[in-house]
Amino acid sequence: MRNTRDTQLLFDLSKPGRRAARLPACDVPEAAIEDLLPAGAVAAAPPALPEVPEPQIIRHYLNLSTLNMSVDTHFYPLGSCTMKYNPKRNERAAAMPGFADLHPLQPAETIQGMLHVLYEMQQYLSEISGLPACSLQPAAGAHGEYAALLVAAAYFRDIGQTAQRVKVLAPDNSHGTNPASAVMAGFNTVTVKTRSNGGVDMEDFYKKLDDNIAVFMITNPNTVGIFEPNMREIADAVHAKGGLVYLDGANMNAILGVTRPGDFGADMQHYNPHKTFSGPHGGGGPGAGPICVTEVLAKYLPSPIVVKVEGSGFSGQGSGNASTLNPEPRTPNPQYALAYDRPHSIGRVRSFFGNVGVLLRAYCYIRTHGPDGLRRVSENAVLNANYLLSKVKHILPVPQGDRCMHEFVASGSKLKAERGVAAMDLAKRLLDFGYHAPTVYFPLTVPEAIMVEPTETESKETLDAFAETLFRITGEDPELLHEAPHSTAISRPDEVAAARNPMLCCRVD
Amino acid sequence: MPYHYNTPEDQAEMLASIGAASIDELFAPIPDALQLKRPLNLPPALSEMELDQHLRQLTALNDYAGTKVCFLGGGSYDHFVPSVCDVIGSRSEFYTSYTPYQAEASQGNLQVMFEYQSLITRLTGLDVANSSLYDGASAAAEAVLMALHAGGSRNKVIAPSTLHPEYRQTIATYFENIDAELVTLDCPAGVLDADALAAAIDDKTAAVILQQPNFFGCIEDADRIAAVAKGAGALLISVFDPISLGILKRPADYGASIAVAEGHTLGTPMSYGGPYLGIMSCDNSLVRRMPGRIVGETTDRRGKKCYVLTMQTREQHIRRDKATSNVCTNQALFAVRASVYLAQAGPQGLKETANLCLQKTRYLAEQLCQNERFSQAFDAPTFKEVVIRDAENNVDGLLREAIDAGYLAGLPLGRWYPELSDCFLVAVTEKRTKADIDGLVKSLTAKSVRQPAHV
């Protein structure tokens, strides 16, 4: 039985005079606010916040929480977004007071444990990417793309090629953030076509590759779930023209310990730790967007970065043999420090160090798996995706063929032509069966795209049941699907009306 | 592996269904020459127990607000985090869900975001808010980009030196490769002088960005600054402290068109600086230039009120290189925590919290400055932070000794302001007791600071 009363708007639950917070009495001599602050700065009254007691807060938000599908409650086969299980040990670690209650501007000698973790993370991410330098500062994947493109711009400025290097090339199936980031960083974007198998159209690539190229941005494995067949050739050709290769690391879940972007020609990459290393998505954030680059580009990375202090005698670098279970005890001489004084750095892209809470979760994930475990992650992600592909391809053709990496993009165009059922209808109907919808209509290069990524943390039984559900749905009365979902708290919203007449906040009474 | 299901038998069955001989065969599309032929050079796997022990050893190497009394501010503050924020913020249905593209499966998140937007507009007095950005500094940079786009050929932005140095650095980074100029005005009195602004502003100025209270904790004359900005046809961008709005005027009240803030102070711990919550709010005329996600109210097919992500035609996944920004991720989970914080505070709670910060900061400054070694660097009234000048010009030594005595006493300012190398910034939140403050004052003023730590 759904509780609808307590999911009214928070403001409708408010009643003047109710309150949850009780503050301690002021224990220092108190003066009137008007005597301490200029009259022109003081508000006549505090903001019109809702007035609700604590039990109502809990009931309101917990009832709202039940209106969500989440990884902890449902299978979430959402391609491109890697919705894998979020380990609980990581949550506990990030909440430890010795991490959560650190101020970002404490002196280095008071945060050696924190800096140890961050230094190790820089090393781990470099090792996994094959790119030796790392900045943990960017706050999200797109923020990392942007920071890396600023690094590229700084590099071209340094070698006197700013006027020449104006073009960023990106395939037509790239994430929308790629061209948007390129424009923010001051470049023009040029779209390169892809072929029906999802790979870069090499003819179009060579047509657009010239001496004006700054960066080629590529997602690999790409958004249709295949490893770019001409990766090495593309990277060599870009380098031969003096350009740089950017690897959109959204799909690193497929290749951990199998291949490394630095080894297949990337000069820069970002990570999405919330995808690859299982940080929770939080309903849309926070994430993080650390970047790794080649030695040549290292000096341009955002500041600060964590450095090991020379002569501290510490050997905790992420080496496979040296366990870091026993970091050095407290010493007056710090072993790690933050390097701010980096004259070639692009500067900073946000306040303080970065999204440390997300990085801590990723650190726990990497330490839990170790080198073999990380490779197993990718093996099982790829196995699950290929298995699911093998089960559904008879119902929903996959234009890119019988094999994929960690995700695949099926096409609902046959279903639409034959039965009038759109990819969106299928997605909405899946909600009735307790599955979050796959990503639909992305990438734009596949008609009626249905993008599925099961991840490694799902069982064969779950995948079998999901495939059976898909099969069942495709046989249902199309009318039933057009009207789906039928069991959720709401039916399909009128998105056109929402955009045409925006109501973006609740009116003040 | 703790998070995988596939047994060897499962794997064999699955490979048979695929028609592959081995898992390695599935990686065949990756050319052999590109495959890594060795294990990654990473430390070996740890069990949960070993990981826990490892992390405990590491946290023992950290001093934190709990083992030391924290008077550090400068954009991150040791405010109290109510337990309801932790309870709701650790609810799996919120923290393990995805961006609410499927509105039917995400009404919880969508309604909370709609309520968050409403709460933020009530804080700022402006018309609309988005559902959050990365942090205060990047939100300020995005606000400046909005103002530049809205300002046509105007390409200059003015910021006083009283704007957080890291915010100014972030804006400067964002400006590096576009046709825009950031002009910083020195503020020797600790606040922006309206006449100096009037002299610097011109018809190329798209925006003036003002922090209230500013980086030094001082109260700026926001009304006058806004009037100068408006007079020159520039937008006023306010960087505000959400807690301060318990007693200070809202950004809209002094004429801001865009207001941004660091919102971690609303129910999220300091976490060594991140992740944080970038708050953004603006007036109606700018809404279609606003970056990030926006939730709107609509109705479903049965006429029931519901919520969806809306105005997505501004966003990168639709507009690609024509988008208003590249922002794709927001800070939804911390927007949830901020909503819970504001709901539990209510108007009176926010006012009392702000008042405690104000009174205690004043008390600390008065107590400390009774000792002739210390004085307030600026005359302007302050809210939650105050700049203290050390007549002996030994800030680093003083602060280091304070740590030994149990206090994270303040931030040395010389790093950002060489002319203030004899000064440090002290922040006093509602969490600091009189005993904390008295202890700090005693420690800083004692000839020998080797007093017993605070009890």
Side-chain angles (χ1 to χ4, degrees), chain A residues 274-293:
Chain A
H274 49 290
K275 300 179 183 180
T276 310
F277 304 121
S278 78
H281 281 68
I291 53 176
C292 292
V293 301

Side-chain angles (χ1 to χ4, degrees), chain A residues 76-97:
Chain A
Y76 231 96
L78 193 56
S80 183
C81 299
T82 314
M83 299 294 288
K84 59 165 95 169
Y85 172 69
N86 307 126
K88 302 310 158 196
R89 68 190 66 173
N90 303 358
E91 295 304 309
R92 187 161 81 182
M96 289 170 78

Side-chain angles (χ1 to χ4, degrees), chain A residues 30-31 72 81 88 100 110 127 174 258-259 283-284 320 324-325 348 350-352 363 428 482 494 504 506, chain B residues 34 36 41 54 57 63 76 92 95 97-98 104-105 117-118 135 166 173 271 273 298 300-301 320 330 355 359:
Chain A
E30 203 169 355
D72 276 4
C81 299
K88 302 310 158 196
T110 66
E127 166 65 8
S174 66
V258 178
T259 182
T324 52
L325 264 180
R348 58 167 57 250
R350 50 153 292 168
S351 61
F352 308 123
Y363 176 85
K428 297 297 185 192
H482 296 325
D494 187 344
L504 309 179
C506 146
Chain B
L34 302 186
L36 187 67
N41 183 18
H54 172 58
Q57 287 171 333
D63 290 328
S76 174
S92 286
Y95 84 79
S97 61
Y98 183 59
E104 300 90 334
Q117 291 169 193
S118 305
D135 77 329
E166 294 192 346
T173 303
S271 299
T298 186
D300 74 358
R301 285 184 170 180
R320 298 179 71 88
N330 67 355
N355 183 52
Q359 303 290 346

